[in-house]
């Protein structure tokens, strides 16, 4: 069992990295930003029994601010590399310029396999898929459309018109993807009946960076998605929840949670797949267990408490 001291060390390290990140004048790509985020990722990726939900309030506040910094830095990084990749004659031939492209290949394959296990695509592949929060470098949609769902139309939603302009430039030179990749500049909360047209909706991890906002988006999707449609969400588990928001199955009201997968490799995001209920009712809920919380010897923590170790499961299913 992981020692409590290891958890204390981890939280202290994350807080120190946050302190350093918050002092930077800009989170645009540069050596200092790269080094600090690399250190943060390497700190958070290894298996950890830390249960984010039971951390003290001051650590919760630091975590919320850190996730916002991660989101801001990720946006700058994607815009930077979208500009570089978009400068090529055939941008899709140069996606590997993005340093984390291999992670997107793994994550997209993982999501496709989970989708296929729960809704076999060999019978009938989804005709229309939406990705909410696609950004300037929509690698999930591109990889899915290129390698896995080759007849599907992907509708990419982002609130930023410039991000959509940069993203569309990546597929313009490709006859196939330019036809099957559609970009919409809109706040997803303003999109209503159109959501009924989609067989599958992907919700980006950083859409709704705090729990209240995430719940509002999910409630909106539950109201307007077609009954039986699939909602794929990205979450985080263990210390990885310092990088991305956690999607608790309890907030998926109006959906039947089909499975939750927690990777143990360099793919950071957990994957949650759910189905819009055919009629109103209770969702399936999963007890994800409790984990160790930091005692007062953690210099950043405000109180002492201890809970039982987390149940070490990677796949949680019905």
């Amino acid at each position: 069992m992981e020692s409590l001291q290891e958890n204390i060390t981890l939280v202290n390290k994350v807080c120190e990295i946050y302190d350093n990140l918050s002092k930077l004048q800009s989170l645009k790509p540069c050596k200092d930003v790269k080094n600090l985020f690399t250190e943060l990722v390497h700190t958070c990726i290894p298996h950890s029994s830390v249960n984010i939900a039971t951390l003290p309030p001051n650590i919760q506040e630091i975590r919320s601010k850190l996730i916002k910094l991660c989101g801001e830095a990720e946006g700058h990084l994607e815009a930077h590399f979208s500009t570089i990749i978009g400068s090529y004659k055939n941008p899709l031939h140069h996606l590997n310029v993005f340093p984390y492209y291999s992670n997107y290949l793994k994550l997209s394959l993982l999501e496709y396999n989970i989708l296929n296990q729960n809704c076999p695509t060999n019978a009938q592949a989804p005709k229309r898929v939406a990705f909410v929060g696609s950004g300037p470098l929509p690698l999930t949609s591109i990889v899915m459309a290129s390698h896995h769902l080759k007849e599907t139309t992907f509708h990419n939603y982002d609130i930023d018109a410039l991000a959509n302009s940069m993203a569309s430039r990546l597929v313009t030179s490709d006859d196939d993807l330019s036809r099957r990749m559609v970009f919409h500049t809109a706040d997803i909360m303003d999109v209503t009946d159109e959501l009924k047209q989609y067989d599958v909706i992907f919700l980006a991890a950083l859409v709704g960076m705090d729990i209240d906002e995430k719940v509002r988006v999910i409630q909106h999707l539950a109201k307007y998605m077609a009954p039986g449609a699939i909602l794929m969400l990205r979450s985080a588990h263990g210390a990885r929840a310092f990088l991305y928001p956690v999607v608790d199955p309890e907030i998926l009201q109006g959906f039947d949670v089909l499975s939750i997968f927690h990777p143990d490799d360099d793919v950071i995001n957990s994957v949650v797949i759910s189905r819009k209920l055919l009629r109103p009712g209770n969702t399936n809920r999963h007890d994800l267990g409790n984990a160790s919380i930091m005692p007062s010897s953690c210099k950043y923590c405000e109180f002492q408490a201890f809970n039982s170790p987390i149940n070490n499961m990677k796949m949680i299913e019905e």
Side-chain angles (χ1 to χ4, degrees):
M1 186 176 69
E2 183 179 21
S3 74
L4 205 55
Q5 185 58 46
E6 287 177 317
N7 284 345
I8 296 168
T9 301
L10 185 148
V11 170
N12 281 334
K13 185 64 176 177
V14 168
C15 291
E16 288 170 5
I17 295 171
Y18 164 75
D19 287 342
N20 291 328
L21 283 170
S22 63
K23 294 172 183 175
L24 296 178
Q25 292 185 345
S26 171
L27 293 176
K28 292 182 178 180
C30 68
K31 183 178 179 180
D32 288 342
V33 171
K34 178 182 178 181
N35 289 343
L36 283 171
F37 276 106
T38 298
E39 185 179 14
L40 179 64
V41 169
H42 287 168
T43 300
C44 294
I45 275 187
H47 171 74
S48 170
S49 64
V50 169
N51 183 356
I52 295 297
T54 58
L55 291 175
N58 66 318
I59 302 299
Q60 296 285 5
E61 183 180 359
I62 288 173
R63 172 181 170 260
S64 295
K65 291 178 179 178
L66 181 58
I67 288 174
K68 289 183 171 71
L69 293 181
C70 290
E72 182 182 346
E74 188 171 309
H76 287 312
L77 186 70
E78 290 187 1
H80 175 74
F81 280 97
S82 181
T83 300
I84 293 173
I85 295 170
S87 67
Y88 290 99
K89 182 179 180 180
N90 296 301
L92 297 180
H93 297 170
H94 301 276
L95 295 177
N96 60 354
V97 169
F98 185 62
Y100 305 108
Y101 179 57
S102 62
N103 292 65
Y104 277 88
L105 290 175
K106 293 177 184 177
L107 178 58
S108 297
L109 178 59
L110 170 63
E111 290 175 324
Y112 173 73
N113 286 338
I114 291 173
L115 178 63
N116 199 35
Q117 288 166 9
N118 289 276
C119 309
T121 59
N122 56 0
Q124 183 176 0
K127 294 180 179 178
R128 294 167 62 90
V129 169
F131 195 98
V132 179
S134 48
L137 191 61
L139 287 175
T140 297
S141 293
I142 290 173
V143 172
M144 283 281 188
S146 301
H147 300 289
H148 306 303
L149 298 173
K150 299 182 180 181
E151 303 296 327
T152 301
T153 300
F154 286 78
H155 290 255
N156 301 279
Y157 287 86
D158 202 280
I159 201 168
D160 187 341
L162 178 58
N164 276 334
S165 175
M166 298 172 73
S168 63
R169 192 179 303 127
L170 301 177
V171 300
T172 300
S173 64
D174 188 273
D175 291 340
D176 178 35
L177 260 59
S178 62
R179 176 178 56 84
R180 293 193 292 120
M181 294 275 284
V182 183
F183 296 91
H184 305 272
T185 300
D187 184 335
I188 199 62
M189 298 298 289
D190 297 328
V191 182
T192 55
D193 291 339
E194 187 178 337
L195 295 173
K196 292 182 172 66
Q197 304 173 19
Y198 302 117
D199 304 306
V200 180
I201 294 181
F202 286 83
L203 185 64
L206 294 174
V207 173
M209 286 192 282
D210 62 63
I211 185 63
D212 292 335
E213 185 182 356
K214 183 80 73 175
V215 168
R216 285 195 296 271
V217 172
I218 290 171
Q219 288 176 342
H220 180 77
L221 295 175
K223 181 177 180 180
Y224 290 105
M225 285 175 64
I230 294 294
L231 176 62
M232 301 280 291
L233 307 101
R234 291 173 180 174
S235 182
H237 185 62
R240 300 172 187 218
F242 282 109
L243 307 174
Y244 289 102
V246 174
V247 176
D248 191 319
E250 293 286 340
I251 71 173
L252 287 168
Q253 300 297 318
F255 294 92
D256 184 19
V257 179
L258 303 178
S259 72
I260 304 170
F261 184 80
H262 301 305
D264 58 4
D265 57 10
D266 56 351
V267 174
I268 295 174
N269 290 117
S270 300
V271 178
V272 181
I273 181 170
S274 60
R275 180 184 285 116
K276 170 74 180 292
L277 294 175
L278 297 177
R279 52 184 178 274
N282 293 328
T283 61
N284 287 341
R285 297 187 177 94
H286 302 277
D287 181 6
L288 301 183
N290 293 314
S292 300
I293 188 171
M294 308 305 106
S296 57
S297 57
C298 169
K299 70 177 182 179
Y300 287 93
C301 296
E302 294 175 335
F303 62 85
Q304 180 172 357
F306 183 79
N307 293 324
S308 60
I310 197 165
N311 182 18
N312 184 20
M313 292 179 63
K314 290 196 297 180
M315 178 69 83
I316 305 171
E317 296 188 349
E318 289 184 278

